[in-house]
Amino acid sequence: MDKFKKNKLFYTALILLGGLFVAGCALSVQEYLAKEKSAKSLARTRLDTDTLIKGHPLAPGAPAISLTADNVKLSEDDIAALAKHIDLLKANIAGNPEGAIRGKAATSSSELASQLKQSVDEWRKFAKEQDVKLPAGEQSDFGFRRYIRNPGTSPKRELQQVDQQRQIIDFLIHQLIESRPPGVPILLESVDREPVETFVLIPEGKPGAGTYGPEAEGAHNEPDEFLPTRTFDRKGLVETLSFRVRFVAHTPTLRTFINKIRNSGRPFAITSVEVAPATRENEKLLSTVSAATVASATSAPAPAGGVPASLAASFFNGDSGAASANTGKPGAPVASQRDERPVVMKEAPSAFMVQIDYLSLPEPKAPAAAEGEPKK
């Protein structure tokens, strides 16, 4: 310590020199490591460049594709064709803009509830006027039982989508009723919908956080609400509203209904069709045809082939009297022979359930506000 006090300047200089030496060593090591890293990066880049120049096979056994001006031009053409194909797919999904079904954006909750009730009343009245049967002992609420059976309640959110569902259901009901042949009975059991306004907000940390998903397991849904298991919905690509039309009728009604939906020019997609035998109760309900329906059937024009509807019905129901009327010509069957003919096929109504998706493209998100811009 005495020596240090006597030679402060000398020892201080030694300490500074030692510190500079250690710092120089540290910098040297750091530069060496950086050099090694740069050398490895350069070697990797050279390898990638050589690979691009030599070419790389895209599939086993295929010729190598190299980075040449011609291949770059072909790649650019492929990207342009892909973009054009994507635009075409979007146009096909969106359908004709004039035929799009859109909900009202500025509908209040109470106003929408009133519109729902009014629409349900109009659908019931229309079904009655067209002699369309509804379930025995219970009125159909066409997907809006949640609000029709609980006066005073109304959707709390997604008002535009709920109003859009109301308009889509109106379209489906009219298409179904117009699909039945004249004089043929039909039972409209229900039109079920996907209850988008009851979905819960997905919390942070889970897939799809910040968006609305189906209700939690065990949550309550009404009988005319369902969560689709088959759907064209793809997050960020295609959005859908799912519906399920349940009715009891004959096969021609189903076939015409599906064709009308497909040829409507609107972005509908049939996702599933289920068929089951009609119950005895439903068959009995369909058998009570009104006088107006009978009159419509008897006055219906003959099909293009010239065969009356009553003649076709008699064939399927086993009544061959009209089909084999005695014309007086030789070889014509007599009445006893006609009565003994076996029934080839007895036409019976079936219970159908058609699930339908209404497709739409996601609306582009508004650009984020620039940094420093005041939020509104």
Side-chain angles (χ1 to χ4, degrees), residues 202-210:
I202 300 177
E204 295 294 334
K206 293 187 177 181

Side-chain angles (χ1 to χ4, degrees), residues 33-320:
L33 294 177
K35 178 184 176 181
E36 289 294 321
K37 184 177 180 181
S38 299
K40 290 181 180 179
S41 177
L42 179 60
R44 190 183 307 111
T45 302
R46 286 177 176 175
L47 179 61
D48 294 341
T49 303
D50 293 341
T51 302
L52 291 174
I53 294 175
K54 293 179 181 178
H56 180 75
L58 300 180
I65 305 298
S66 59
L67 184 63
T68 62
D70 292 339
N71 288 337
V72 171
K73 180 63 170 59
L74 291 174
S75 299
E76 292 175 348
D77 294 341
D78 287 344
I79 293 175
L82 180 61
K84 185 177 180 180
H85 183 63
I86 292 175
D87 292 338
L88 179 61
L89 289 177
K90 289 182 177 181
N92 290 334
I93 291 173
N96 186 356
E98 298 179 357
I101 302 176
R102 299 183 177 90
K104 295 181 181 179
T107 300
S108 66
S109 181
S110 57
E111 179 184 356
L112 179 56
S114 177
Q115 289 178 344
L116 294 177
K117 187 177 187 310
Q118 180 180 353
S119 294
V120 171
D121 292 339
E122 290 176 354
W123 296 331
R124 291 173 180 170
K125 181 181 178 182
F126 179 66
K128 184 177 181 181
E129 291 173 350
Q130 299 297 319
D131 196 34
V132 174
K133 307 298 181 182
L134 296 178
E138 182 176 350
Q139 290 181 314
S140 177
D141 299 312
F142 303 99
F144 296 107
R145 180 186 180 117
R146 179 182 298 274
Y147 307 111
I148 303 302
R149 302 294 178 94
N150 301 282
T153 59
S154 58
K156 303 302 180 185
R157 60 181 186 82
E158 304 295 346
L159 305 184
Q160 183 174 356
Q161 275 194 311
V162 175
D163 186 71
Q164 184 182 18
Q165 288 181 321
R166 178 184 65 84
Q167 298 182 44
I168 294 173
I169 290 175
D170 179 80
F171 174 80
L172 294 177
I173 290 174
H174 282 78
Q175 295 300 304
L176 176 62
I177 294 178
E178 293 171 4
S179 297
R180 65 171 180 173
V184 177
I186 181 175
L187 167 64
L188 177 54
E189 291 188 298
S190 178
V191 179
D192 307 332
R193 69 181 182 94
E194 181 183 8
V196 293
E197 76 280 12
T198 66
F199 287 5
V200 296
L201 184 65
I202 300 177
E204 295 294 334
K206 293 187 177 181
T211 61
Y212 289 95
E215 290 180 315
E217 185 177 356
H220 172 68
N221 276 334
E222 296 294 339
D224 55 4
E225 297 173 347
F226 77 107
L227 298 179
T229 55
R230 295 173 59 91
T231 177
F232 285 95
D233 183 79
R234 297 295 182 271
K235 296 299 181 183
L237 299 176
V238 182
E239 294 180 351
T240 63
L241 291 174
S242 296
F243 302 88
R244 196 169 57 187
V245 183
R246 295 188 284 120
F247 61 98
V248 180
H250 294 81
T251 304
T253 301
L254 171 70
R255 182 165 53 249
T256 305
F257 175 60
I258 291 179
N259 288 334
K260 287 175 73 68
I261 295 297
R262 291 177 56 191
N263 301 328
S264 65
R266 302 174 188 269
F268 284 106
I270 309 294
T271 58
S272 67
V273 177
E274 298 182 16
V275 184
T279 62
R280 292 185 178 180
E281 292 77 8
N282 289 340
E283 288 185 351
K284 184 177 180 181
L285 185 61
L286 286 178
S287 65
T288 59
V289 184
S290 67
T293 306
V294 175
S296 174
T298 55
S299 62
V307 182
S310 59
L311 180 58
S314 64
F315 171 77
F316 284 108
N317 292 326
D319 181 9
S320 58

